[in-house]
């Protein structure tokens, strides 16, 4: 069996196909759904960003002297990141926005950190004071889905690879193009976008992704370095549940 025929046989039922790239956008490329997206303004040094993230992740539910979260109930099981580890997933760090009238008087030691808690499916915003190492304010919101980070995108690839049907298809696509084994998401060029269940309205399989929005779900654009796109446009990865869905078939 030729490589092309074998690849087609593997991928037909799995929702993954490889397509030749010509420098055009990823297949299925479309504008991001309407969602609350974090604003990336205000410079923080890399050292400040790392320290702000450390304080925010460690200050679960307003510990370390900060105030308790003003919305949402405390999660007794602890906050979790995309991989299921302890501590919420850091999405963004920035200097907090200020009105012009406050610019001169506002403390320059403050940083705003956005995190996603997979244990409660909540977007957390924590204002931290870098000098004191404490959280000044913390709030939670649900059903708010900013764009995924690189760590979340790579976790989504891991979820696909763990799926017997889809994982075999992705590995076969990679082997057909490179003659090598795909063992890690870092071997791929991957971008992602958050996915809301409302986007699948009227599409076959919409029920499988109806919780996306309340859950953290993503779609991926995957390219083999120097080669082809792996078309994952029909695949939705529910990171909150750790499972995949193929829609529109």
């Amino acid at each position: 069996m030729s490589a092309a025929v074998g690849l087609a046989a593997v991928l037909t039922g799995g929702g993954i196909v490889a397509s030749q790239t010509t420098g055009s956008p990823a297949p299925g490329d479309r504008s991001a759904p309407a969602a609350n997206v974090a604003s990336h303004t205000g410079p923080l040094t890399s050292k400040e960003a790392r320290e702000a993230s450390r304080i925010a992740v460690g200050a679960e539910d307003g510990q370390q002297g900060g105030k308790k979260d003003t919305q949402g109930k405390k999660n007794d099981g602890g906050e979790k990141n995309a991989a299921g580890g302890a501590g919420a997933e850091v999405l963004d760090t920035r200097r907090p926005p200020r009105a012009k009238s406050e610019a001169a008087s506002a403390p320059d030691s403050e940083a705003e950190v956005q995190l996603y808690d997979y244990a409660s499916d909540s977007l957390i915003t924590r204002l931290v004071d870098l000098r004191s190492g404490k959280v000044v304010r913390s709030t939670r919101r649900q059903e708010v889905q900013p764009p995924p980070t690189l760590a979340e995108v790579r976790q989504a690839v891991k979820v696909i690879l763990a799926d017997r049907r889809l994982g075999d298809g992705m590995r076969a696509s990679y082997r057909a193009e490179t003659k090598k084994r795909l063992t890690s998401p870092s071997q791929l060029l991957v971008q992602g976008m958050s996915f809301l269940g409302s986007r699948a309205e009227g599409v076959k399989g919409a029920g499988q992704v109806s919780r996306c929005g309340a859950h953290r779900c993503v779609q991926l654009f995957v390219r083999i370095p120097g080669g082809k796109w792996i078309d994952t446009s029909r695949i939705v990865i529910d990171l909150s549940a750790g499972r995949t869905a193929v829609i529109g078939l």
Side-chain angles (χ1 to χ4, degrees), residues 59 61-70 126 135-138:
D61 289 310
Q63 295 172 11
Q64 294 189 354
K67 297 179 181 179
K68 290 188 176 181
D69 291 324
T70 59
R126 287 183 174 142
V135 171
V136 177
R137 183 175 64 251
S138 182

Side-chain angles (χ1 to χ4, degrees), residues 2-20 27 157 160-161 164-183 187-188 222-235:
S2 69
V5 173
L7 178 62
V10 171
L11 301 183
T12 298
I16 299 181
V17 295
S19 58
Q20 185 66 41
V157 174
I160 291 178
L161 292 175
R164 183 173 181 180
R165 179 181 55 159
L166 299 177
D168 286 350
M170 182 170 280
R171 280 185 283 266
S173 293
Y174 187 85
R175 182 181 287 277
E177 179 70 12
T178 67
K179 312 306 180 187
K180 299 177 181 178
R181 291 180 61 213
L182 175 62
T183 59
Q187 293 171 258
L188 300 167
V222 184
R223 185 178 179 182
I224 299 169
K228 299 177 180 179
W229 294 101
I230 299 177
D231 182 5
T232 56
S233 60
R234 291 176 294 173
I235 299 173

Side-chain angles (χ1 to χ4, degrees), residues 11-248:
L11 301 183
T12 298
I16 299 181
V17 295
S19 58
Q20 185 66 41
T21 179
T22 58
S24 59
D29 190 17
R30 22 188 144 163
S31 59
N36 293 333
V37 177
S39 175
H40 296 265
T41 60
L44 283 173
T45 67
S46 58
K47 182 178 180 180
E48 286 175 325
R50 287 193 301 270
E51 180 63 8
S53 298
R54 183 192 69 79
I55 296 168
V57 171
E60 184 172 315
D61 289 310
Q63 295 172 11
Q64 294 189 354
K67 297 179 181 179
K68 290 188 176 181
D69 291 324
T70 59
Q71 297 179 35
K73 296 180 180 179
K74 182 175 179 179
N75 173 37
D76 293 333
E79 294 168 0
K80 300 294 183 183
N81 59 30
E89 188 78 34
V90 175
L91 304 184
D92 183 48
T93 57
R94 62 171 181 165
R95 195 75 69 188
R98 301 167 181 163
K100 289 184 178 180
S101 60
E102 299 174 344
S105 59
D108 61 3
S109 62
E110 290 184 347
E112 187 175 273
V113 184
Q114 278 198 332
L115 313 99
Y116 196 86
D117 174 24
Y118 279 85
S120 62
D121 274 307
S122 301
L123 178 69
I124 305 169
T125 302
R126 287 183 174 142
L127 183 67
V128 305
D129 187 311
L130 293 169
R131 288 199 183 101
S132 67
K134 295 180 180 180
V135 171
V136 177
R137 183 175 64 251
S138 182
T139 59
R140 288 175 183 264
R141 291 180 292 168
Q142 293 182 314
E143 299 190 23
V144 182
Q145 300 295 343
T149 64
L150 177 59
E152 290 177 304
V153 164
R154 287 183 170 176
Q155 180 62 27
V157 174
K158 290 181 181 180
V159 174
I160 291 178
L161 292 175
D163 183 288
R164 183 173 181 180
R165 179 181 55 159
L166 299 177
D168 286 350
M170 182 170 280
R171 280 185 283 266
S173 293
Y174 187 85
R175 182 181 287 277
E177 179 70 12
T178 67
K179 312 306 180 187
K180 299 177 181 178
R181 291 180 61 213
L182 175 62
T183 59
S184 169
S186 62
Q187 293 171 258
L188 300 167
L189 300 175
V190 190
Q191 293 180 308
M193 61 185 290
S194 49
F195 181 89
L196 305 180
S198 57
R199 290 187 60 203
E201 186 176 349
V203 174
K204 186 175 181 180
Q208 301 178 74
V209 296
S210 61
R211 299 196 69 186
C212 291
H215 278 192
R216 184 90 164 132
C217 299
V218 299
Q219 281 186 302
L220 301 179
F221 305 124
V222 184
R223 185 178 179 182
I224 299 169
K228 299 177 180 179
W229 294 101
I230 299 177
D231 182 5
T232 56
S233 60
R234 291 176 294 173
I235 299 173
V236 177
I237 303 94
D238 185 334
L239 288 172
S240 297
R243 62 171 178 254
T244 62
V246 181
I247 61 175

